[in-house]
Amino acid sequence: MHVFVRLAGVSAILLTTGTCFAADRMKPGLWEMSMKSDAIKAMPKIPPEQLEKMKQMGIKIPDMQNGGMTHKVCLTKEMVEQDKPPSGGRDQQCQSKNFTHSGSIYSGEVVCDMPEMKGNGTIKGSYTPDSMTSIYDFKGVSHGQPISQHMETTGKFIGSDCGDVKPPPMPQKK
């Protein structure tokens, strides 16, 4: 579970890298993101009573079905106007490298070097102001076990008002 959460977090940060490269940027506001992966499919089901307790504690659980997960993300104007991919802060040990773009198509690499997870991945995708798609592949070792992750993400713009959905934290600048 921790590996998936970390990879999903890296994917979410990398998602915003696609927003920065063209005049035709993704719109700031509320987006619905759908991810599909074998890791989501393999995750154990959370019992309904535990889900209810988590909700009462204010924890938002994405909708997970059929190897997929859907959640809402708030992208700020600053996120979509970046001139370069986000760089890792002191606590960020997965780094984006070799990012390229052409119009609204982007690709790059991810290198993770943490005690609990080491490995390399690639991401490629495309976007319009109202939609996005990406494919993320990662191979490495987590807690001494080999891991291989393939994730496909699609997103659609819902509206400019994020409501109670807060933007994801971005890595701190050095």
Side-chain angles (χ1 to χ4, degrees):
M1 174 86 166
H2 293 289
V3 172
F4 172 73
V5 170
R6 188 168 305 278
L7 289 175
V10 170
S11 297
I13 289 169
L14 291 174
L15 158 67
T16 63
T17 65
T19 66
C20 60
F21 295 120
D24 237 4
R25 301 167 196 229
M26 291 169 66
K27 292 178 182 175
L30 189 61
W31 284 74
E32 181 178 84
M33 299 293 175
S34 298
M35 298 177 186
K36 288 191 174 191
S37 79
D38 291 337
I40 296 172
K41 202 178 286 186
M43 286 177 67
K45 300 277 186 241
I46 300 172
E49 59 277 358
Q50 188 175 358
L51 275 175
E52 186 57 37
K53 285 181 184 176
M54 293 169 78
K55 287 178 185 176
Q56 289 172 0
M57 293 169 49
I59 299 171
K60 293 187 180 190
I61 307 295
D63 179 29
M64 291 196 266
Q65 297 178 25
N66 304 319
M69 168 174 83
T70 301
H71 67 286
K72 294 193 172 44
V73 175
C74 181
L75 297 180
T76 66
K77 183 177 183 227
E78 293 75 26
M79 288 173 169
V80 300
E81 289 181 350
Q82 292 180 67
D83 291 328
K84 60 183 178 179
S87 60
R90 285 185 296 254
D91 298 329
Q92 180 82 18
Q93 294 177 343
C94 288
Q95 305 279 326
S96 60
K97 301 203 183 255
N98 301 320
F99 263 79
T100 62
H101 68 279
S102 177
S104 61
I105 297 172
Y106 62 96
S107 65
E109 300 172 34
V110 178
V111 178
C112 296
D113 189 16
M114 298 173 264
E116 66 275 3
M117 186 170 73
K118 295 181 185 300
N120 297 297
T122 60
I123 187 166
K124 56 186 169 183
S126 63
Y127 59 92
T128 70
D130 295 299
S131 66
M132 63 76 57
T133 62
S134 72
I135 297 174
Y136 177 66
D137 289 293
F138 183 88
K139 290 188 185 292
V141 176
S142 176
H143 299 282
Q145 300 297 312
I147 57 170
S148 180
Q149 170 71 39
H150 174 81
M151 184 181 306
E152 297 179 14
T153 303
T154 59
K156 65 180 178 180
F157 180 73
I158 296 176
S160 59
D161 183 3
C162 289
D164 64 349
V165 178
K166 302 290 181 226
M170 294 302 292
Q172 296 176 358
K173 293 181 181 177
K174 289 183 179 181

